[in-house]
């Protein structure tokens, strides 16, 4: 916990996620991923690391995002525990317009989906294995098993989000997130993320080592 002095002179406590120590030999090692997950923050605590305007942007997307009844039923039926670790930027427009959607998915089955966020500050770099197209682009989403084995990596944008940006004639590299995305775009992007979460859940459901463990 650190104390920051706000511009208007009042002090307020801010919880900061631990910076990651990079070791190329351990990047996708279960021990490294376990440490990163343990240092990450749940959604609500992560939002508190941002300023008032940043929290407003994240909250408006989260409030607008809704799973359908069929989607809720799908997620509530998950049997395997899974972890989702997001390297994010509280300041990043792409994170604003996507990470709250992943939170909505996690909320549909908190017993089986654990979600944590690690902040990438503007002046820091991601480990090479997490860079997308050679850049420090966020969000980067890592899907882990219950015992911290790496299953998949996704990001920085889903296919529908890329299509929407392309339709707007290749808009800004990183959108502002000041205004929530259109409902159709949000719903489709939510569907993209749900497909990836479901894919990893099925991976875990069918993997021989976990089927042997649970005798199912």
């Amino acid at each position: 916990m650190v104390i920051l002095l706000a511009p208007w002179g009042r002090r307020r406590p801010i919880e900061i996620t631990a910076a990651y120590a990079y070791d190329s030999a351990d990047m996708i090692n279960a021990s490294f991923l376990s440490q990163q997950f343990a240092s990450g923050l749940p959604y609500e605590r992560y939002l508190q690391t941002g300023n008032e305007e940043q929290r407003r942007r994240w909250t408006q997307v989260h409030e607008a995002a809704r799973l359908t009844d069929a989607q809720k039923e799908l997620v509530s039926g998950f049997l395997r525990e899974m972890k989702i670790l997001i390297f994010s930027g509280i300041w990043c427009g792409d994170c604003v317009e996507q990470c709250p959607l992943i939170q909505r998915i996690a909320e549909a089955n908190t017993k089986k989906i654990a979600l944590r966020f690690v902040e990438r500050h503007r002046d820091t770099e991601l480990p090479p294995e997490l860079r997308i197209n050679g850049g420090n682009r966020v969000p980067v989403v890592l899907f882990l098993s219950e015992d911290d084995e790496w299953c998949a990596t996704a990001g920085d944008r889903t296919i529908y989000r890329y299509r929407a940006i392309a339709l707007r004639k290749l808009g800004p590299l990183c959108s502002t997130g000041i205004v929530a995305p259109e409902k159709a775009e949000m719903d489709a992007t939510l569907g993209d993320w749900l497909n990836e979460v479901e894919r990893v859940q099925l991976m875990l459901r069918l993997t021989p080592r976990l089927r042997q463990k649970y005798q199912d």
Side-chain angles (χ1 to χ4, degrees):
M1 181 79 72
V2 298
I3 303 296
L4 297 184
L5 184 62
W8 50 90
R10 291 185 295 176
R11 294 178 180 271
R12 62 188 183 99
I14 294 293
E15 187 171 9
I16 303 295
T17 51
Y20 40 80
Y22 171 63
D23 183 341
S24 60
D26 290 336
M27 181 54 219
I28 306 298
N29 180 279
S31 176
F32 173 86
L33 294 175
S34 177
Q35 292 171 9
Q36 292 304 304
F37 193 85
S39 73
L41 297 177
Y43 182 79
E44 292 298 337
R45 284 167 57 191
Y46 179 67
L47 257 59
Q48 295 309 307
T49 67
N51 60 37
E52 183 176 354
E53 175 59 15
Q54 289 165 342
R55 292 194 297 273
R56 182 196 69 79
R57 296 179 186 183
W58 283 67
T59 299
Q60 74 173 353
V61 174
H62 180 258
E63 290 179 347
R66 291 289 187 273
L67 294 176
T68 66
D69 290 341
Q71 289 171 330
K72 290 178 182 178
E73 183 177 1
L74 171 69
V75 178
S76 66
F78 286 178
L79 296 179
R80 295 281 190 255
E81 294 182 15
M82 58 189 298
K83 298 178 181 180
I84 302 177
L85 176 62
I86 301 181
F87 290 82
S88 173
I90 195 72
W91 43 269
C92 171
D94 272 317
C95 297
V96 171
E97 296 185 6
Q98 296 181 97
C99 293
L101 309 185
I102 303 173
Q103 168 65 12
R104 276 298 188 198
I105 296 171
E107 289 171 356
N109 193 339
T110 56
K111 292 183 178 180
K112 300 300 181 182
I113 304 176
L115 176 62
R116 296 292 184 275
F117 292 83
V118 174
E119 177 74 358
R120 183 187 82 77
H121 299 287
R122 288 179 182 269
D123 58 349
T124 61
E125 294 187 350
L126 289 170
E129 287 82 354
L130 295 182
R131 293 175 191 165
I132 298 172
N133 196 24
N136 293 298
R137 303 162 70 95
V138 287
V140 178
V141 183
L142 274 63
F143 295 89
L144 315 177
S145 66
E146 62 187 56
D147 50 356
D148 302 308
E149 292 292 343
W150 175 84
C151 296
T153 301
D156 61 336
R157 297 165 178 155
T158 72
I159 180 60
Y160 196 93
R161 177 125 176 89
Y162 265 113
R163 286 172 178 163
I165 292 175
L167 187 63
R168 294 192 291 267
K169 298 184 178 180
L170 301 176
L173 177 64
C174 187
S175 60
T176 63
I178 293 176
V179 179
E182 295 291 336
K183 188 65 165 62
E185 178 184 341
M186 180 184 298
D187 289 345
T189 304
L190 176 60
D192 283 343
W193 282 115
L194 180 55
N195 284 341
E196 188 61 21
V197 174
E198 182 189 6
R199 187 183 75 85
V200 175
Q201 173 65 202
L202 290 174
M203 178 193 303
L204 297 172
R205 183 68 178 83
L206 296 170
T207 187
R209 71 182 185 88
L210 292 179
R211 294 199 72 179
Q212 181 177 13
K213 176 180 179 180
Y214 292 108
Q215 293 296 300
D216 59 3

